[in-house]
PDB file of all heavy atoms in Angstrom:
ATOM      1  N   ALA X 314      95.991  10.697 -27.877  1.00 95.00           N
ATOM      2  CA  ALA X 314      95.605  11.346 -29.141  1.00 95.00           C
ATOM      3  C   ALA X 314      94.366  10.685 -29.731  1.00 95.00           C
ATOM      4  O   ALA X 314      93.493  11.369 -30.284  1.00 95.00           O
ATOM      5  CB  ALA X 314      96.764  11.299 -30.138  1.00 95.00           C
ATOM      6  N   LEU X 315      94.282   9.381 -29.603  1.00 93.00           N
ATOM      7  CA  LEU X 315      93.112   8.663 -30.110  1.00 93.00           C
ATOM      8  C   LEU X 315      91.866   9.107 -29.358  1.00 93.00           C
ATOM      9  O   LEU X 315      90.843   9.452 -29.964  1.00 93.00           O
ATOM     10  CB  LEU X 315      93.350   7.151 -29.956  1.00 93.00           C
ATOM     11  CG  LEU X 315      92.325   6.215 -30.532  1.00 93.00           C
ATOM     12  CD1 LEU X 315      92.184   6.425 -32.029  1.00 93.00           C
ATOM     13  CD2 LEU X 315      92.726   4.785 -30.252  1.00 93.00           C
ATOM     14  N   VAL X 316      91.938   9.132 -28.039  1.00 95.00           N
ATOM     15  CA  VAL X 316      90.801   9.544 -27.214  1.00 95.00           C
ATOM     16  C   VAL X 316      90.405  10.994 -27.512  1.00 95.00           C
ATOM     17  O   VAL X 316      89.226  11.316 -27.598  1.00 95.00           O
ATOM     18  CB  VAL X 316      91.133   9.360 -25.712  1.00 95.00           C
ATOM     19  CG1 VAL X 316      90.076  10.002 -24.831  1.00 95.00           C
ATOM     20  CG2 VAL X 316      91.273   7.876 -25.388  1.00 95.00           C
ATOM     21  N   ALA X 317      91.395  11.858 -27.716  1.00 96.00           N
ATOM     22  CA  ALA X 317      91.135  13.282 -27.981  1.00 96.00           C
ATOM     23  C   ALA X 317      90.783  13.563 -29.437  1.00 96.00           C
ATOM     24  O   ALA X 317      90.526  14.710 -29.799  1.00 96.00           O
ATOM     25  CB  ALA X 317      92.360  14.108 -27.582  1.00 96.00           C
ATOM     26  N   ARG X 318      90.802  12.529 -30.282  1.00 95.00           N
ATOM     27  CA  ARG X 318      90.554  12.682 -31.720  1.00 95.00           C
ATOM     28  C   ARG X 318      91.537  13.679 -32.324  1.00 95.00           C
ATOM     29  O   ARG X 318      91.182  14.508 -33.159  1.00 95.00           O
ATOM     30  CB  ARG X 318      89.118  13.098 -31.986  1.00 95.00           C
ATOM     31  CG  ARG X 318      88.110  12.110 -31.473  1.00 95.00           C
ATOM     32  CD  ARG X 318      86.709  12.541 -31.742  1.00 95.00           C
ATOM     33  NE  ARG X 318      85.805  11.716 -30.946  1.00 95.00           N
ATOM     34  CZ  ARG X 318      84.579  12.046 -30.653  1.00 95.00           C
ATOM     35  NH1 ARG X 318      84.073  13.159 -31.097  1.00 95.00           N
ATOM     36  NH2 ARG X 318      83.849  11.252 -29.930  1.00 95.00           N
ATOM     37  N   ASP X 319      92.792  13.559 -31.892  1.00 96.00           N
ATOM     38  CA  ASP X 319      93.849  14.487 -32.264  1.00 96.00           C
ATOM     39  C   ASP X 319      94.727  13.878 -33.364  1.00 96.00           C
ATOM     40  O   ASP X 319      95.765  13.277 -33.092  1.00 96.00           O
ATOM     41  CB  ASP X 319      94.670  14.815 -31.010  1.00 96.00           C
ATOM     42  CG  ASP X 319      95.759  15.830 -31.251  1.00 96.00           C
ATOM     43  OD1 ASP X 319      95.993  16.217 -32.414  1.00 96.00           O
ATOM     44  OD2 ASP X 319      96.390  16.223 -30.258  1.00 96.00           O
ATOM     45  N   GLY X 320      94.293  14.042 -34.608  1.00 95.00           N
ATOM     46  CA  GLY X 320      95.026  13.488 -35.744  1.00 95.00           C
ATOM     47  C   GLY X 320      96.410  14.079 -35.903  1.00 95.00           C
ATOM     48  O   GLY X 320      97.343  13.385 -36.314  1.00 95.00           O
ATOM     49  N   ALA X 321      96.575  15.358 -35.565  1.00 95.00           N
ATOM     50  CA  ALA X 321      97.897  16.001 -35.702  1.00 95.00           C
ATOM     51  C   ALA X 321      98.922  15.323 -34.791  1.00 95.00           C
ATOM     52  O   ALA X 321     100.057  15.057 -35.210  1.00 95.00           O
ATOM     53  CB  ALA X 321      97.804  17.486 -35.391  1.00 95.00           C
ATOM     54  N   THR X 322      98.532  15.031 -33.555  1.00 95.00           N
ATOM     55  CA  THR X 322      99.457  14.347 -32.645  1.00 95.00           C
ATOM     56  C   THR X 322      99.741  12.938 -33.141  1.00 95.00           C
ATOM     57  O   THR X 322     100.888  12.483 -33.113  1.00 95.00           O
ATOM     58  CB  THR X 322      98.900  14.329 -31.208  1.00 95.00           C
ATOM     59  OG1 THR X 322      98.829  15.678 -30.738  1.00 95.00           O
ATOM     60  CG2 THR X 322      99.792  13.520 -30.280  1.00 95.00           C
ATOM     61  N   LEU X 323      98.717  12.246 -33.617  1.00 93.00           N
ATOM     62  CA  LEU X 323      98.935  10.903 -34.168  1.00 93.00           C
ATOM     63  C   LEU X 323      99.940  10.954 -35.318  1.00 93.00           C
ATOM     64  O   LEU X 323     100.884  10.163 -35.358  1.00 93.00           O
ATOM     65  CB  LEU X 323      97.624  10.283 -34.657  1.00 93.00           C
ATOM     66  CG  LEU X 323      96.711   9.708 -33.595  1.00 93.00           C
ATOM     67  CD1 LEU X 323      95.367   9.319 -34.203  1.00 93.00           C
ATOM     68  CD2 LEU X 323      97.353   8.516 -32.907  1.00 93.00           C
ATOM     69  N   ARG X 324      99.745  11.872 -36.241  1.00 92.00           N
ATOM     70  CA  ARG X 324     100.668  11.998 -37.374  1.00 92.00           C
ATOM     71  C   ARG X 324     102.094  12.266 -36.893  1.00 92.00           C
ATOM     72  O   ARG X 324     103.061  11.765 -37.454  1.00 92.00           O
ATOM     73  CB  ARG X 324     100.214  13.107 -38.312  1.00 92.00           C
ATOM     74  CG  ARG X 324      99.021  12.752 -39.162  1.00 92.00           C
ATOM     75  CD  ARG X 324      98.644  13.913 -40.099  1.00 92.00           C
ATOM     76  NE  ARG X 324      97.310  13.732 -40.605  1.00 92.00           N
ATOM     77  CZ  ARG X 324      96.200  14.181 -39.994  1.00 92.00           C
ATOM     78  NH1 ARG X 324      96.276  14.851 -38.868  1.00 92.00           N
ATOM     79  NH2 ARG X 324      95.020  13.956 -40.534  1.00 92.00           N
ATOM     80  N   GLY X 325     102.231  13.056 -35.833  1.00 93.00           N
ATOM     81  CA  GLY X 325     103.538  13.398 -35.303  1.00 93.00           C
ATOM     82  C   GLY X 325     104.271  12.239 -34.654  1.00 93.00           C
ATOM     83  O   GLY X 325     105.480  12.311 -34.444  1.00 93.00           O
TER      84      GLY X 325
END
Side-chain angles (χ1 to χ4, degrees):
L315 186 60
V316 170
R318 300 180 194 160
D319 183 353
T322 295
L323 282 172
R324 285 181 197 89

